[in-house]
Amino acid sequence: MYAEAYCAQSDRAGKVQQGDDMIETENESLRERVSDLEKKALDQGDEIVCLRSTLADVLRRLTLLENAVNSRGGLSPSSTGTVTPVRNGGFRGALNNHISQLKDGPLGGSRLRQPMYHQSSVESNNSIKEIAHRSNVPTALPQRRGVHYQSTGSLHSDSPSSNSVSPVPTSPSPTHTPPPRVSPSPRQSQPPTPTRSTNSNLHFAKRWSSTGDFNNSPHNGGSMNSRLATKSLLNLNVRVQSPHNMLKHGTRDATYNEEEKILRMFLRGRPIILYAPSSLAETYDITKVTTPPQSKLKLDWVYGYRGRDCRSNLYLLPTGEMVYFVAAVVVLYNVEEQSQRHYLGHTDDIKCIAIHPNKLLVATGQCAGHDRRESRPHIRIWDSVTLNTVAILGAGDFERSICCISFSKADGGQLLCAVDEANDHNISVWDWQKGERGQRITETKCSVDTVIAAEFHPLERNCIVTCGKSHISFWTLDAGGTLYKRMGIFENRDKPKYVTCVAFNHLGDVITGDSNGSLIIWARGTNTVSKLVRGVHDGPVFSVCALKEGSIVSGGGKDRRIVQLDSQLNASGLERQVPDHAGGIRVISEGRGSQLLVGTTRNCVLVGSLSMGLSTALTGHLDELWGLAVHPSLPQFVTAGYDKSLNLWDSMSHSLIWSKDLSEAAQSAAISPDGSIIIVGCVTGHWFALDSQTREIFTTHADGAEPIQVIKFSPNGQFLALGSRDNNVYIYQCGGDTRKYNRVGRCMTERKRKRSSSLTSFLGHSSFITHLDWSADSQLLRSNSGDYEVLYWNAGLCRQVPQSSSMRDVEWASNSCTLSFETIGIWPEGADGTDVNFCDRANNKKLLATADDFGKVKLYTYPVTQPRSLCHSYGGHSSHVTAVTFLHDDSRLISTGGKDTAILQWAVV
């Protein structure tokens, strides 16, 4: 009996010991499973819901185990000497406590502690309830986005990408490498068996060029958040960010992997992987700073004039120069000597100009710009001889932009009036000579309607005339600095919709033109109509000029006629009509002798007289400008824009060689390697080829219905690549005489389903094409897209080259792709991917120029491989700069503006 009892007791003790061993094994497995889940939550950023779902499955398995053990004999502390797990007891409470630490500890910056197993069943029940309650509360974990963005995958796909910018890591990362990320499932019936983590993987650790990767290491006093710094080969330095600031921009977080020889940067939170060329990879140091180049840029010539929406902006100076503005540049142009000087004090669009009575000082007013501090609307008064700034008025006082300014004339120009384009069109008067900032004497509301012109009276002190929509006002400034207004009275005459211009005759009478095509004389000192002449022009009168000899010249905006009248507005019979391509008359100014300066609504300037005729002095584009290409062997370049015009310019004579009207708005342009063919891409997907000498269009094609963003000839001239906004790159083979184009195919997005899984990978671009580069041997093509991808193509096969690493040593015939290893430094630390519009490498491979969204042209030392590369920055454009390119001999750089329609020619010195 005793033997049987002893055997039964021994058997029971064995089972107890076996159950205890099972629990210890399960505890260890659970700890490792929780550790793996913690790593997965930290490394992959999955939602806490997925974690809770998996942990709930672990708890279910634990319950089954407890039931099995309890049913075998009910363990107690007295029998084993260890902790007693009971249903809803301390062990599960400890596990819940560990889960609570996982939720609150690491993300709050505290280090994870090992769970404690001595808790009461009440605590464990509360912990379980707390988990269930917290499942509906937002957490501090980075929330999973609806679309999973791989390093270079499609922005519109949840599946991993297999394109060439996302290489698969070939060796382990310094920390545990998580499995491929998949969408979380509600519950997994068979969770994977956890593996015991060890410290034996140190021999797999990689060498990092920046010690910043380990600054937050727990061993250095940091938190467990530093584990994000090396989650995988393609995520070298990810920092925990708040849910409200998830995106990373620019090169601030750029890292370099010395073993794989890749650099990683971010644009709009998207990691960009760039491969270092073998010649630079071994000695590359990401912490170095590249110095700016020794060469600099000097503004050599400005093509363009702003006449489409600005008035009274063309004058002749005593130096023989005409002064006008375009973009943020004031141009002083001597037509006879074919020379230009430029005032570059402004930071954004110039809207108005006024000449001091001494004919030497000039005042110009600008609108608000991108930088709220540096580009506030203000007025600059400067010397036209030395180009030195004399005074800056109103920086911080104006709201939008200055649309009208005028110097006082009767007192020698002591005062200056200005009208702000705010809602009330405030008018202010300044004593501009008091200090460098001047003194504002008074300011008051001018009109709720648009104000077009404001002029001081030439003979009466402190008298100002303003006009605009449905009004003309006569202002008087009293001795106390108060402005009084009298509205013009039209009596029984037809009140015009707009009073469009104002001038003064030698008697001091006010002469106005209006939208009805009429001229009106307002007698000096009155606010009533003295004489009205109807039908002077068919359409609005945009300009009235009183000549020194007493006659009046008016210009029509619709009929394009210049009409001369005597001082009493009687017709003299002398008139002239400008060509249709020049547009309507915007402004007429008196030149030397009988010479007239005429600015037009199509941004042209004409010089001449009514008796001898007018000739075009300068021509500019009318609408947004995107197409730019240079001749391969001559100092010439072509521009094309939304105004449906194609222009060929000569950079040496600063003249327009020819202009051709197009049937569609142009988006891009290219010139063949022999210079005989010009290709123009349009916004509708059409493109055509024309002869550069005869301007004859000999072929037209259509690829898609979206704009042709970029066009590139291969170096040997045998292929033509067109990047479209429909995400495709179209490849054409050129005939022997480059007049026949046969489409080889298109480089497009392809979907491929992997055999071993249900996931679909994507090849090709998932956004519009922005830039293209050919290899020097004309076999390969490199492309950038709107979602910041860098892809490589076999041009002859129109197939993507998936191994990006094999492209690291390819020699490229050009470097217009803004995303490449050689252009890392052009991206500011906070760039969001749209800041840099274009770049171009000099033919001698020593310089790189960029065009950005802030109106700046920048010059770098090539290659720009350092994230913090210094450069020379130049203003002049007031809109986004759309393109830059060096001439064939690198002596000059051409830049084009978007909305400002300006073409700036820079000398490389």
Side-chain angles (χ1 to χ4, degrees):
M1 180 186 301
Y2 291 104
E4 292 177 359
Y6 180 79
C7 291
Q9 184 177 2
S10 299
D11 183 67
R12 189 182 307 108
K15 291 182 178 180
V16 169
Q17 183 63 35
Q18 182 180 2
D20 183 53
D21 293 340
M22 291 173 60
I23 292 176
E24 283 297 317
T25 302
E26 187 68 12
N27 289 350
E28 182 66 17
S29 299
L30 288 173
R31 283 195 296 270
E32 294 177 357
R33 178 61 176 164
V34 170
S35 178
D36 287 345
L37 291 172
E38 168 198 335
K39 292 178 180 179
K40 181 177 182 180
L42 290 173
D43 289 344
Q44 297 188 4
D46 283 342
E47 294 181 355
I48 196 65
V49 176
C50 178
L51 178 62
R52 292 196 188 96
S53 176
T54 307
L55 289 179
D57 185 76
V58 175
L59 291 175
R60 181 182 60 80
R61 295 177 65 238
L62 176 62
T63 301
L64 295 177
L65 178 62
E66 291 177 71
N67 292 337
V69 173
N70 290 334
S71 65
R72 291 181 179 181
L75 301 181
S76 65
S78 61
S79 62
T80 62
T82 60
V83 178
T84 305
V86 295
R87 185 180 301 278
N88 296 334
F91 183 82
R92 294 182 66 180
L95 180 60
N96 288 318
N97 180 46
H98 190 82
I99 297 171
S100 178
Q101 292 181 34
L102 175 60
K103 289 168 53 182
D104 301 333
L107 298 177
S110 62
R111 186 171 180 175
L112 287 175
R113 293 185 289 271
Q114 293 295 327
M116 299 178 63
Y117 299 101
H118 300 279
Q119 292 187 4
S120 66
S121 61
V122 177
E123 290 176 328
S124 63
N125 287 327
N126 292 338
S127 299
I128 295 175
K129 293 179 181 178
E130 182 180 0
I131 291 177
H133 173 70
R134 289 190 180 184
S135 63
N136 295 324
V137 179
T139 70
L141 280 174
Q143 297 298 309
R144 176 181 169 88
R145 290 170 289 194
V147 178
H148 170 46
Y149 293 5
Q150 290 290 342
S151 61
T152 51
S154 169
L155 288 181
H156 310 290
S157 170
D158 278 335
S159 61
S161 171
S162 63
N163 58 37
S164 63
V165 196
S166 304
V168 178
T170 57
S171 57
S173 63
T175 59
H176 172 71
T177 303
R181 182 173 180 174
V182 296
S183 301
S185 59
R187 182 181 297 273
Q188 298 177 4
S189 58
Q190 296 293 334
T193 303
T195 57
R196 185 180 300 271
S197 117
T198 65
N199 294 326
S200 61
N201 63 342
L202 293 179
H203 62 282
F204 290 116
K206 296 185 181 302
R207 296 178 296 116
W208 311 110
S209 65
S210 174
T211 57
D213 293 340
F214 303 99
N215 286 341
N216 294 326
S217 172
H219 304 291
N220 296 333
S223 69
M224 288 298 292
N225 293 335
S226 63
R227 300 169 74 173
L228 291 173
T230 53
K231 88 172 189 181
S232 70
L233 177 63
L234 301 183
N235 193 1
L236 306 181
N237 190 16
V238 178
R239 301 172 187 170
V240 175
Q241 303 186 35
S242 66
H244 304 290
N245 187 23
M246 295 295 294
L247 297 183
K248 294 183 178 181
H249 300 307
T251 58
R252 181 182 296 110
D253 300 294
T255 54
Y256 181 68
N257 184 294
E258 293 183 353
E259 184 171 328
E260 296 295 329
K261 298 176 177 55
I262 61 173
L263 184 139
R264 187 168 182 259
M265 59 180 286
F266 294 88
L267 291 178
R268 285 190 177 272
R270 181 186 181 92
I272 309 298
I273 305 301
L274 301 171
Y275 293 85
S278 300
S279 59
L280 299 175
E282 296 299 333
T283 59
Y284 182 75
D285 184 357
I286 196 173
T287 62
K288 288 185 178 180
V289 178
T290 304
T291 59
Q294 295 182 352
S295 300
K296 295 183 179 180
L297 299 180
K298 180 181 179 181
L299 187 58
D300 179 39
W301 200 265
V302 176
Y303 304 87
Y305 158 76
R306 184 165 183 169
R308 67 188 187 279
D309 59 353
C310 291
R311 297 168 171 82
S312 301
N313 59 352
L314 180 63
Y315 298 95
L316 184 70
L317 298 176
T319 57
E321 300 166 308
M322 64 172 69
V323 57
Y324 57 92
F325 58 78
V326 61
V329 182
V330 185
V331 183
L332 296 90
Y333 176 28
N334 191 312
V335 179
E336 297 177 356
E337 299 179 1
Q338 280 297 299
S339 63
Q340 280 188 359
R341 296 188 298 142
H342 311 99
Y343 178 73
L344 298 171
H346 286 279
T347 56
D348 213 273
D349 276 309
I350 302 172
K351 297 296 292 291
C352 55
I353 188 170
I355 307 299
H356 193 273
N358 65 13
K359 303 296 184 181
L360 296 178
L361 296 178
V362 180
T364 46
Q366 77 165 58
C367 66
H370 301 283
D371 193 325
R372 294 185 178 181
R373 296 186 60 184
E374 300 297 331
S375 298
R376 293 178 292 182
H378 63 274
I379 300 169
R380 306 181 79 90
I381 301 175
W382 47 279
D383 191 311
S384 63
V385 176
T386 63
L387 300 181
N388 294 328
T389 302
V390 177
I392 300 176
L393 310 180
D397 296 320
F398 296 106
E399 183 177 344
R400 292 185 183 174
S401 64
I402 298 94
C403 60
C404 310
I405 54 177
S406 176
F407 281 104
S408 59
K409 300 174 178 62
D411 59 0
Q414 295 181 3
L415 304 178
L416 182 139
C417 74
V419 177
D420 184 5
E421 267 187 327
N423 293 332
D424 294 323
H425 292 86
N426 295 335
I427 182 173
S428 56
V429 179
W430 299 75
D431 187 346
W432 63 270
Q433 299 182 78
K434 286 194 174 181
E436 294 183 355
R437 303 297 176 182
Q439 178 184 354
R440 184 172 58 187
I441 298 174
T442 184
E443 182 179 20
T444 186
K445 295 180 180 179
C446 183
S447 172
V448 294
D449 295 319
T450 303
V451 177
I452 293 176
E455 293 286 343
F456 266 101
H457 198 285
L459 302 179
E460 295 187 9
R461 294 174 62 92
N462 302 333
C463 179
I464 304 172
V465 180
T466 62
C467 65
K469 184 177 180 180
S470 302
H471 77 276
I472 179 172
S473 302
F474 300 87
W475 300 82
T476 302
L477 179 66
D478 66 7
T482 303
L483 278 172
Y484 296 95
K485 179 173 67 173
R486 293 180 300 162
M487 298 297 297
I489 301 174
F490 290 89
E491 297 177 347
N492 296 328
R493 298 173 177 85
D494 294 336
K495 186 176 182 179
K497 187 175 182 179
Y498 280 90
V499 179
T500 53
C501 51
V502 60
F504 305 89
N505 63 17
H506 63 287
L507 300 176
D509 298 332
V510 179
I511 304 174
T512 61
D514 57 40
S515 56
N516 295 333
S518 304
L519 294 178
I520 299 176
I521 295 181
W522 308 77
R524 179 177 177 180
T526 68
N527 62 335
T528 58
V529 175
S530 173
K531 184 176 181 179
L532 182 147
V533 180
R534 292 186 175 91
V536 178
H537 290 276
D538 182 14
V541 182
F542 279 167
S543 181
V544 175
C545 178
L547 304 181
K548 296 176 182 178
E549 41 89 7
S551 62
I552 306 296
V553 177
S554 64
K558 182 179 180 181
D559 58 11
R560 310 189 316 277
R561 291 168 52 239
I562 303 174
V563 179
Q564 185 174 17
L565 307 97
D566 61 19
S567 60
Q568 296 301 314
L569 302 186
N570 298 315
S572 65
L574 192 60
E575 65 178 61
R576 180 74 61 172
Q577 187 177 37
V578 302
D580 180 59
H581 67 82
I585 310 301
R586 176 60 74 189
V587 58
I588 300 176
S589 180
E590 187 174 15
R592 291 179 176 176
S594 61
Q595 188 184 63
L596 296 178
L597 309 179
V598 181
T600 71
T601 57
R602 293 187 64 86
N603 295 346
C604 297
V605 174
L606 309 177
V607 178
S609 63
L610 295 180
S611 59
M612 301 298 294
L614 302 170
S615 61
T616 303
L618 64 93
T619 303
H621 279 274
L622 183 62
D623 206 345
E624 196 160 348
L625 190 58
W626 283 92
L628 174 65
V630 298
H631 196 282
S633 58
L634 299 176
Q636 298 175 357
F637 60 94
V638 296
T639 55
Y642 290 172
D643 58 356
K644 301 181 181 179
S645 65
L646 175 68
N647 294 342
L648 177 64
W649 308 87
D650 185 86
S651 63
M652 300 300 293
S653 62
H654 311 123
S655 61
L656 179 66
I657 299 176
W658 54 255
S659 178
K660 182 174 180 62
D661 293 333
L662 307 175
S663 59
E664 300 179 26
Q667 181 73 46
S668 54
I671 301 180
S672 62
D674 61 2
S676 62
I677 304 299
I678 299 176
I679 307 293
V680 179
C682 301
V683 298
T684 60
H686 290 84
W687 63 272
F688 48 84
L690 68 156
D691 190 288
S692 61
Q693 298 295 327
T694 64
R695 289 171 275 175
E696 173 193 359
I697 297 177
F698 53 81
T699 185
T700 302
H701 297 265
D703 290 303
E706 298 291 330
I708 303 296
Q709 297 282 113
V710 57
I711 304 174
K712 283 278 187 175
F713 275 97
S714 63
N716 60 12
Q718 297 180 4
F719 293 97
L720 177 69
L722 302 101
S724 173
R725 200 170 180 84
D726 65 3
N727 306 354
N728 298 323
V729 179
Y730 299 90
I731 307 295
Y732 281 80
Q733 186 174 15
C734 307
D737 57 354
T738 67
R739 289 178 175 269
K740 295 181 181 180
Y741 298 89
N742 300 316
R743 194 164 93 170
V744 177
R746 60 175 176 171
C747 307
M748 57 181 292
T749 302
E750 298 178 5
R751 297 187 179 185
K752 291 187 177 180
R753 187 173 297 276
K754 296 182 179 180
R755 296 180 180 178
S756 59
S757 68
S758 61
L759 297 178
T760 301
S761 63
F762 291 84
L763 292 175
H765 284 294
S766 56
S767 185
F768 57 92
I769 311 302
T770 57
H771 307 90
L772 293 174
D773 282 318
W774 282 95
S775 61
D777 60 4
S778 302
Q779 300 299 314
L780 300 172
L781 197 65
R782 174 174 63 183
S783 58
N784 289 171
S785 62
D787 57 354
Y788 324 123
E789 286 182 318
V790 186
L791 301 186
Y792 302 90
W793 309 88
N794 185 315
L797 302 176
C798 294
R799 291 298 181 91
Q800 181 180 336
V801 180
Q803 296 82 18
S804 299
S805 58
S806 63
M807 300 289 104
R808 67 169 76 234
D809 293 325
V810 173
E811 181 183 356
W812 299 99
S814 62
N815 198 334
S816 60
C817 285
T818 57
L819 288 176
S820 66
F821 193 86
E822 291 78 14
T823 59
I824 295 167
I826 70 176
W827 294 98
E829 288 193 350
D832 69 349
T834 61
D835 294 336
V836 182
N837 297 318
F838 202 89
C839 69
D840 187 59
R841 182 189 68 193
N843 296 286
N844 60 13
K845 300 182 180 181
K846 296 181 179 180
L847 300 173
L848 183 89
T850 65
D852 64 29
D853 256 4
F854 309 107
K856 300 297 183 182
V857 174
K858 295 181 179 179
L859 191 66
Y860 294 86
T861 301
Y862 184 85
V864 198
T865 55
Q866 302 300 135
R868 287 169 292 276
S869 297
L870 302 180
C871 66
H872 301 301
S873 181
Y874 303 92
H877 288 285
S878 59
S879 176
H880 50 285
V881 187
T882 56
V884 289
T885 185
F886 288 91
L887 294 184
H888 73 288
D889 58 356
D890 296 331
S891 61
R892 290 172 177 81
L893 177 77
I894 309 298
S895 63
T896 57
K899 293 293 186 180
D900 63 29
T901 71
I903 305 169
L904 304 188
Q905 178 174 304
W906 308 84
V908 181
V909 296

